[in-house]
Amino acid sequence: MKNIIISSEKDYFKKYKKSVTEPEEFWETIASQFDWKKKWSKTLEWDFNTPSVKWFLNGKLNITENCLDRHLKDFGNKTAILWEPNNPGETAKHISYKELHREVCKFANVLKNNNIKKGDRVCLYMPMIPQLAIAMLACARIGAIHSVVFAGFSSKAIEGRINDALCKMLITTNEMFRGAKTIGLKAICDEALKNCPTVKKVIVFNRTQTPVAMNPKRDVFWSEEIENASSDCPAEIMDSEDPLFILYTSGSTGTPKGMVHSTGGYMVGSTYTFLNVFQYRTNDIYWCTADIGWITGHSYIIYGPLCAGATTVLFEGVPSYPDYGRFWQLIEKHKVNQFYTAPTAIRALEKQPISFVEKYDLSSIKVLGTVGEPINNEAWQWYHKYIGKEKTPIVDTWWQTETGAIMISSLAGITPEKPTFATLPLPGVQPVLLDDNKKEIVGNPAEGRLAIAFPWPSMARTIWNNHKRFKEVYFSTFEGYYFTGDGALRDEKGNYRITGRVDDIVIVSGHNLGTAPIENTIDEHPKVVECAVIGFPHEIKGNALYAFATLYHQEDASEQLKIEINNLIAKEIGVIYKLDKIQFVNGLPKTRSGKIMRRILRKIASGETTDLGDTSTLLNPQIVEEIIKNKI
Ligand code: WTA
């Protein structure tokens, strides 16, 4: 893989140019570094109107041969996954490529023995333990499509995702650890499965000693199933365009969107960007702190690093347990070279006494990274000074669940960085800024809505079961472009700075949350007439959620009702959606056509009440004053 690494700034510009002028040749060179069972016959076929994008057409492969088998000969004993448990007293595990290969093959046979076949969907609801990685790769080994649901979602959320993809199997654990807490995952699954007729089998891995109820007709234990499973499992031959996985992401309206990622293009994109952005070298220890339940975990804990033959750290716990020094302690303990985390984690850790950092030797660090939301200057400077000791490159990586891989970022130590800017596009990525007239803005500096003009291999191919929605959400706002939903500005040198979402998605602690499902949930409370949920700036979380709600009976407004609303949200969608603030109001500002003016509420919530813009067109302008007066 050495010859796909960009080695200098000059090399970057040369490759970038090639990737734009001759994109097919450019990606062919990269794709040919991987193991294919049969070479593709055509590199790219695309049309953003249908939309239809296909890469490496008729190419045959199995991604797990690239993640595992390929490495066995030369470095089978190298650590593939370095697992650090939640409890600091429990020993870390070094799982070699050879061992991982064996475990994946065994579990792939368990899947087969339980009637899972190519194309079937398997839902994974698990903590950050090696078995999650093994289960994902085992699915990929036999061509089953995994759908990982973040183990913080509620049973209702699991239910919705299982029923959307018609999963045949669910894999979970009896319980999970999260800092000092244990959470009963199996019980949450049991609740969900009351309404999931397609799930015929549940495989339970015992993470703790606590027994859980098992349904004898449906539930089996991982440990028992694996006992007699063979470790020989030839990889299923997959087409380059066969789906590898589904991963749900919030929509600004309606239900979550099951983004479908392909096998060949996703492999090429995630690995290429992993190697180049982080400048990973053979013996490096790389750590991405994301949860595998999100795209960052898929691409940059599992697939990218493993295809590149890296050692990837998998951490089960949280940054605050047993104390706020845990991340830094682990960097010292495992001599981590690349450390990739989220701005929200940095902001939370920045608030702690600096002694938590200073206690540890961070000299192994060569590269720092961030992802998930715009990083504010203060957090960037703290990260640079205290973790990077003012010399380590920081890559600010902009991308999305939909893009599959990093799109805009500096390359560590190779291309220049600029605080709070994601900087330049990766080779193969053609970003544009569009104005309100849907025209591309040429020249710099510029500000507009961020879109992508040309396909790239790792882009999502569709929304599961809803191609129409795929077209509407991403390819209809600006015809002929993929629209990201983000706003951005570009400096004189062409560096991009992402300014945030331009739709009703709020990024809270790095989690991409649609406000519409939260509003729908609050509206279900019998005392609530209607509500509007918006994001407002929050020191640590980046954004937090603020709800304005009207009630049938004003006298029902109480702290108790707020608790009830938050409990309802936790139950229906998940705890990460809980509101920071709830304000009961006599009315919501509305346009004459009845649309809630969230723009005004956003300004009120963030305290920018001097310039509310024109409120005269509102149906009920007087309500604005009243809301401001009672603001929390
Ligand atoms: C935001 C996460 C600024 C952006 C990989 C995007 C960012 C959304 C950055 C996707 C960044 C992600 N700077 N904003 N470096 N990275 N975002 O799907 O709004 O969870 O559209 O994918 O996060 O979030 P998602």
Side-chain angles (χ1 to χ4, degrees):
M1 290 266 171
K2 280 217 172 61
N3 42 355
I4 68 176
I5 295 193
I6 297 167
S7 55
S8 66
E9 192 178 358
K10 200 167 142 226
D11 190 28
Y12 161 77
F13 282 108
K14 194 174 120 208
K15 293 210 165 106
Y16 187 79
K17 190 162 172 218
K18 166 120 180 146
S19 79
V20 173
T21 51
E22 295 178 324
E24 299 184 21
E25 288 81 347
F26 172 79
W27 284 113
E28 267 177 34
T29 312
I30 292 161
S32 55
Q33 303 288 312
F34 293 79
D35 276 3
W36 297 79
K37 288 194 183 278
K38 183 172 152 262
K39 205 189 159 191
W40 57 96
S41 56
K42 191 174 179 197
T43 305
L44 170 65
E45 205 173 84
W46 71 290
D47 153 26
F48 273 0
N49 292 315
T50 311
S52 163
V53 173
K54 293 180 177 154
W55 281 92
F56 314 116
L57 288 83
N58 305 312
K60 305 288 176 198
L61 75 158
N62 187 292
I63 194 168
T64 68
E65 290 194 327
N66 285 275
C67 288
L68 302 169
D69 305 57
R70 189 161 57 133
H71 309 315
L72 298 183
K73 191 168 140 277
D74 292 334
F75 44 94
N77 293 325
K78 176 176 175 175
T79 301
I81 293 179
L82 201 177
W83 180 58
E84 173 70 29
N86 175 73
N87 181 346
E90 198 178 334
T91 318
K93 269 204 181 114
H94 294 249
I95 304 168
S96 69
Y97 273 95
K98 219 189 264 166
E99 288 161 338
L100 186 60
H101 177 265
R102 186 183 145 82
E103 292 305 313
V104 168
C105 287
K106 281 182 90 167
F107 197 69
N109 280 321
V110 170
L111 295 177
K112 282 191 192 167
N113 295 342
N114 283 286
N115 201 27
I116 297 299
K117 299 190 174 60
K118 179 175 179 175
D120 286 343
R121 276 80 61 206
V122 176
C123 179
L124 311 182
Y125 184 70
M126 299 171 81
M128 291 281 283
I129 55 177
Q131 287 70 24
L132 172 53
I134 291 166
M136 290 165 84
L137 293 165
C139 286
R141 187 80 176 172
I142 64 165
I145 302 170
H146 58 71
S147 165
V148 181
V149 175
F150 171 63
F153 277 115
S154 68
S155 49
K156 276 272 163 53
I158 305 171
E159 179 188 319
R161 285 159 174 77
I162 287 180
N163 288 335
D164 183 65
L166 304 178
C167 296
K168 266 172 76 175
M169 178 186 271
L170 171 63
I171 306 175
T172 188
T173 59
N174 60 339
E175 293 187 312
M176 75 179 270
F177 292 118
R178 192 180 161 76
K181 282 192 273 184
T182 46
I183 301 162
L185 294 193
K186 173 66 163 56
I188 297 172
C189 290
D190 284 341
E191 188 62 31
L193 292 179
K194 285 182 185 161
N195 302 310
C196 300
T198 56
V199 174
K200 302 290 181 227
K201 268 275 144 61
V202 178
I203 300 185
V204 182
F205 178 82
N206 277 331
R207 174 64 186 106
T208 66
Q209 305 300 322
T210 315
V212 283
M214 296 287 276
N215 173 342
K217 289 210 203 79
R218 189 193 66 190
D219 306 347
V220 294
F221 283 114
W222 178 297
S223 57
E224 288 172 13
E225 294 295 299
I226 204 95
E227 231 164 62
N228 298 316
S230 153
S231 57
D232 177 27
C233 183
E236 186 76 34
I237 300 177
M238 305 299 288
D239 187 85
S240 174
E241 281 298 314
D242 277 339
L244 174 64
F245 64 84
I246 303 172
L247 184 61
Y248 287 85
T249 187
S250 310
S252 54
T253 55
T255 53
K257 300 167 290 192
M259 304 313 305
V260 178
H261 280 284
S262 72
T263 303
Y266 175 80
M267 171 183 76
V268 170
S270 57
T271 312
Y272 176 71
T273 50
F274 168 73
L275 282 168
N276 281 304
V277 171
F278 300 104
Q279 291 287 310
Y280 182 86
R281 294 293 182 272
T282 311
N283 294 316
D284 288 348
I285 309 286
Y286 160 89
W287 180 16
C288 163
T289 71
D291 193 285
I292 292 177
W294 311 115
I295 191 70
T296 308
H298 280 59
S299 301
Y300 299 110
I301 296 178
I302 305 295
Y303 289 111
L306 294 179
C307 282
T311 296
T312 177
V313 175
L314 183 63
F315 174 44
E316 185 185 29
V318 291
S320 54
Y321 179 79
D323 63 40
Y324 280 97
R326 190 76 189 273
F327 275 3
W328 321 128
Q329 181 243 333
L330 292 183
I331 290 175
E332 175 183 282
K333 177 176 173 190
H334 297 301
K335 302 199 170 41
V336 171
N337 301 114
Q338 287 90 1
F339 179 72
Y340 188 29
T341 194
T344 182
I346 299 170
R347 286 190 298 264
L349 295 169
E350 178 195 329
K351 299 283 172 292
Q352 307 305 321
I354 198 65
S355 55
F356 280 119
V357 177
E358 286 170 347
K359 262 213 271 206
Y360 301 104
D361 174 7
L362 305 183
S363 61
S364 58
I365 289 283
K366 295 197 288 189
V367 176
L368 294 171
T370 73
V371 59
E373 59 183 310
I375 180 162
N376 50 307
N377 191 49
E378 191 193 338
W380 194 97
Q381 298 298 348
W382 184 87
Y383 202 32
H384 175 64
K385 181 167 174 195
Y386 293 103
I387 310 305
K389 315 294 179 198
E390 292 182 334
K391 60 180 176 18
T392 309
I394 298 179
V395 292
D396 175 352
T397 65
W398 175 82
W399 59 296
Q400 308 179 296
T401 303
E402 296 84 340
T403 69
I406 296 169
M407 301 289 276
I408 303 182
S409 172
S410 55
L411 312 178
I414 301 287
T415 57
E417 62 197 30
K418 178 169 176 178
T420 77
F421 279 69
T423 72
L424 299 175
L426 262 82
V429 175
Q430 300 187 28
V432 294
L433 293 178
L434 301 170
D435 65 17
D436 291 342
N437 299 319
K438 310 191 175 191
K439 290 268 169 315
E440 270 187 48
I441 310 172
V442 282
N444 295 331
E447 180 162 12
R449 279 177 279 179
L450 181 65
I452 315 288
F454 195 84
W456 62 101
S458 65
M459 67 191 290
R461 301 298 194 258
T462 188
I463 291 174
W464 184 261
N465 242 337
N466 203 340
H467 198 66
K468 183 165 161 272
R469 188 173 178 199
F470 186 60
K471 179 178 164 116
E472 275 165 18
V473 176
Y474 303 105
F475 296 90
S476 302
T477 319
F478 301 103
E479 246 173 68
Y481 298 93
Y482 164 84
F483 177 46
T484 65
D486 282 330
L489 47 88
R490 198 166 56 202
D491 73 5
E492 312 70 35
K493 291 188 172 155
N495 289 307
Y496 284 88
R497 173 174 201 222
I498 314 304
T499 48
R501 303 288 311 183
V502 294
D503 55 15
D504 290 330
I505 288 176
V506 182
I507 300 185
V508 179
S509 299
H511 302 144
N512 210 329
L513 310 182
T515 52
I518 310 175
E519 292 175 0
N520 295 341
T521 305
I522 302 174
D523 291 347
E524 276 173 31
H525 194 287
K527 290 181 178 159
V528 174
V529 181
E530 64 170 353
C531 71
V533 172
I534 49 101
F536 69 99
H538 184 279
E539 222 186 334
I540 289 172
K541 301 181 191 179
N543 293 291
L545 298 170
Y546 194 133
F548 298 88
T550 56
L551 301 177
Y552 286 103
H553 306 289
Q554 207 47 39
E555 59 278 15
D556 284 337
S558 65
E559 289 307 311
Q560 178 54 30
L561 182 56
K562 291 183 184 176
I563 295 169
E564 281 175 30
I565 289 175
N566 262 331
N567 287 343
L568 185 65
I569 292 171
K571 179 163 163 281
E572 295 288 316
I573 359 186
V575 280
I576 54 173
Y577 287 77
K578 276 192 175 185
L579 307 165
D580 264 45
K581 295 182 179 178
I582 304 176
Q583 182 177 347
F584 298 116
V585 295
N586 283 316
L588 295 167
K590 287 188 182 172
T591 62
R592 284 174 202 271
S593 61
K595 202 169 150 40
I596 299 170
M597 293 282 277
R598 290 186 175 71
R599 178 177 62 77
I600 291 179
L601 294 172
R602 243 176 246 131
K603 287 204 162 171
I604 295 175
S606 45
E608 298 167 31
T609 44
T610 44
D611 173 29
L612 287 180
D614 185 10
T615 54
S616 64
T617 55
L618 291 177
L619 195 62
N620 47 355
Q622 79 296 342
I623 202 75
V624 175
E625 280 308 307
E626 196 183 312
I627 295 177
I628 295 175
K629 204 172 88 216
N630 298 321
K631 179 181 172 268
I632 302 170

